C-alpha cells in the first residue's frame, strides 16, 4: 500500500444524524472519497451528507449498522474501488485529517498482517470506551456484580480496557471501537465483512475483530492518528428497555460464534445474576434510567435468557 489518500474510501452510516453527519464528511481530507449510507432517516440526513460532498446511498429501510457498512464498502456508482476502508461514525470527526489518515495507512503499509488500525478517540470517556479485549467471563462477572461501578479502577478493568498501557505509542489491540477504524479491504472481504445477524447494532465490530484475529491478522492502535467522538448518541436516543435486551441478545450471538458451550453457559448465568441483582437493588438505588423502564429492561433480559425471546422494538417483529 502507498500513503496515497485516494486509495481510501470513508464509509459513514447515518440514521437520523442530520445535525452531525455533515461535520464527519467535511473532516475527510481529499482525495479520499466518502460514501454515506443513509438508513431511511426521517430528518434530512441524506441531504445534509450530499451538501457536505459525500456520495449518498439512500436505503428504503433501516438495515442496521453492519449491513449498511457492507453496502458502503461494496461497489458504489461513481466511486472508485479502494484498498482501505475507513469506517467513521457520523458523530466522529478526524483531527488533523491528512496526518491522521496517513498515519493509519502507514501502519497498514508496515506489515501485511495488520488488517486494521484505529486512531486515538478524543472526547469525554473515550479513553476507557475505545479499546477493549474480546469478551471474557471475568469481564462479564465484573460487570454483572457491579465491580466496575464500585471499584472503577480495579485491575481487571484496567487490563480489559488497555488503561494499563502507554497510550502514547502504537500497540496491538483485540477490539477497537468501529467509531473510527481503518480496515484493509482485502482482509475485510476475506472474513466476510460485518455479520448481518447482529443488525440493527452492537457486537458486529467485536465479531469483525474476532474474525480478523482468528484469521491471523493483527489490529493496531495508532495514537499519532486522532479523531474526536461524541459517543453514545444512538444509545441515548433509544429506550433502555429496548436497547438492553438487544445488546444482551447480540452478546450471546457473539459468544455462540466464538466461544465454547461451557463459556456460553457460564455467561448466561452471569448475565441472569446481574439482571436479578439490579432488580433487587432497583427500589433502593437510583440508577441511570427511570425505575419502571429499567425494571422492564431487566425483566426482558431474564425472559430472553430463559429462551423465551428477547423482546425489543428494535428487532423485526419486536423480537
Amino acid at each position: 500500500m502507498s500513503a496515497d489518500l485516494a486509495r481510501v474510501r470513508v464509509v459513514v452510516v447515518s440514521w437520523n444524524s442530520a445535525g452531525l453527519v455533515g461535520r464527519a464528511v467535511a473532516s475527510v481530507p481529499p482525495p479520499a472519497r466518502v460514501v454515506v449510507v443513509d438508513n431511511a432517516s426521517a430528518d434530512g440526513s441524506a441531504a445534509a451528507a450530499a451538501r457536505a460532498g459525500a456520495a449518498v446511498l439512500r436505503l428504503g429501510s433501516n438495515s442496521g449498522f453492519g449491513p449498511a457498512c457492507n453496502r458502503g464498502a461494496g461497489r458504489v456508482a461513481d466511486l472508485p474501488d479502494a484498498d482501505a476502508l475507513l469506517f467513521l461514525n457520523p458523530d466522529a470527526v478526524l483531527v488533523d485529517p491528512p496526518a491522521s489518515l496517513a498515519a493509519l495507512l502507514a501502519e497498514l503499509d508496515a506489515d501485511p498482517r495488520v488488517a486494521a488500525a484505529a486512531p486515538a478517540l478524543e472526547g469525554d470517556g473515550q479513553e476507557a470506551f475505545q479499546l477493549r479485549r474480546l469478551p471474557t467471563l471475568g469481564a462479564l462477572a465484573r460487570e454483572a456484580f457491579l465491580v466496575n461501578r464500585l471499584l472503577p479502577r480495579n485491575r481487571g478493568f484496567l487490563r480489559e480496557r488497555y488503561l494499563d498501557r502507554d497510550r502514547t505509542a502504537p500497540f496491538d489491540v483485540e477490539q477497537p471501537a468501529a467509531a473510527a477504524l481503518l480496515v484493509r479491504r482485502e482482509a475485510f472481504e476475506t472474513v466476510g465483512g460485518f455479520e448481518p445477524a447482529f443488525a440493527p447494532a452492537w457486537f458486529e465490530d467485536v465479531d469483525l475483530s474476532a474474525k480478523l484475529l482468528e484469521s491471523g491478522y493483527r489490529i493496531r492502535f495508532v495514537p499519532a492518528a486522532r479523531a474526536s467522538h461524541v459517543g453514545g448518541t444512538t444509545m441515548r436516543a433509544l429506550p433502555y428497555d429496548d436497547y438492553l435486551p438487544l445488546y444482551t441478545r447480540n452478546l450471546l450471538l457473539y459468544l455462540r460464534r466464538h466461544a465454547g458451550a461451557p463459556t456460553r453457559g457460564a455467561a448466561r448465568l452471569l448475565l441472569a445474576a446481574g439482571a436479578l441483582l439490579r432488580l433487587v437493588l432497583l427500589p433502593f438505588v437510583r440508577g441511570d434510567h427511570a425505575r419502571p423502564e429499567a425494571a422492564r429492561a431487566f425483566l426482558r433480559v431474564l425472559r430472553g435468557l430463559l429462551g423465551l425471546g428477547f423482546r425489543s422494538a428494535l428487532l423485526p417483529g419486536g423480537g
Side-chain angles (χ1 to χ4, degrees):
M1 287 191 172
S2 74
D4 179 10
L5 301 190
R7 299 186 318 66
V8 178
R9 178 187 296 177
V10 180
V11 179
V12 179
V13 175
S14 176
W15 180 66
N16 294 328
S17 308
L20 298 167
V21 68
R23 293 181 63 245
V25 172
S27 78
V28 176
R33 299 292 299 277
V34 187
V35 56
V36 171
V37 186
D38 186 67
N39 268 325
S41 296
D43 68 343
S45 294
R51 286 195 299 271
V56 180
L57 289 179
R58 293 173 171 85
L59 304 186
S61 61
N62 188 349
S63 66
F65 176 76
C69 282
N70 291 343
R71 286 285 301 273
R75 191 167 297 280
V76 177
D78 301 325
L79 285 189
D81 288 337
D83 295 335
L85 303 163
L86 177 66
F87 297 103
L88 187 68
N89 273 15
D91 60 357
V93 298
L94 292 173
V95 177
D96 192 1
S100 289
L101 202 49
L104 294 174
L105 279 170
E107 206 66 36
L108 268 61
D109 291 344
D111 186 345
R113 295 175 300 161
V114 173
L121 293 184
E122 300 177 347
D124 186 32
Q126 294 303 299
E127 186 179 38
F129 161 79
Q130 180 186 12
L131 304 180
R132 308 184 188 205
R133 298 182 189 274
L134 293 173
T136 64
L137 291 177
L140 294 179
R142 286 191 297 274
E143 189 62 31
F145 298 117
L146 303 174
V147 175
N148 294 338
R149 289 265 184 159
L150 298 173
L151 300 169
R153 301 291 293 179
N154 70 81
R155 183 179 301 178
F157 182 78
L158 295 180
R159 182 179 183 278
E160 174 198 341
R161 303 296 176 96
Y162 293 95
L163 294 171
D164 57 352
R165 295 292 302 264
D166 176 10
R167 293 292 186 94
T168 64
F171 56 88
D172 281 17
V173 297
E174 292 184 3
Q175 179 216 326
L181 183 66
L182 186 74
V183 183
R184 191 186 299 272
R185 175 186 284 280
E186 180 184 11
F188 185 75
E189 293 177 347
T190 295
V191 301
F194 288 105
E195 169 55 52
F198 292 96
W202 293 290
F203 281 93
E204 60 277 280
D205 54 345
V206 188
D207 175 71
L208 178 67
S209 295
K211 291 191 297 185
L212 290 172
L213 296 176
E214 290 164 2
S215 297
Y217 289 109
R218 299 165 57 203
I219 303 172
R220 297 283 282 170
F221 170 66
V222 187
R226 296 178 295 142
S228 67
H229 182 225
V230 177
T233 54
T234 298
M235 190 179 74
R236 286 192 293 269
L238 300 174
Y240 189 59
D241 50 353
D242 286 324
Y243 157 75
L244 189 63
L246 173 60
Y247 182 90
T248 306
R249 172 247 196 198
N250 281 4
L251 168 57
L252 294 177
L253 176 59
Y254 166 83
L255 293 174
R256 192 156 65 242
R257 295 169 61 88
H258 299 285
T263 298
R264 297 198 302 269
R268 280 184 174 270
L269 291 175
L270 287 170
L271 291 167
L276 285 169
L277 176 60
R278 284 159 175 77
L279 277 172
V280 170
L281 294 176
L282 201 55
F284 312 104
V285 178
R286 184 179 180 83
D288 300 327
H289 306 276
R291 286 189 174 96
E293 185 178 10
R296 286 193 300 272
F298 302 141
L299 289 170
R300 287 182 178 181
V301 165
L302 289 170
R303 181 180 186 274
L305 292 170
L306 290 172
L308 302 175
F310 285 99
R311 290 183 56 194
S312 171
L314 304 174
L315 290 168

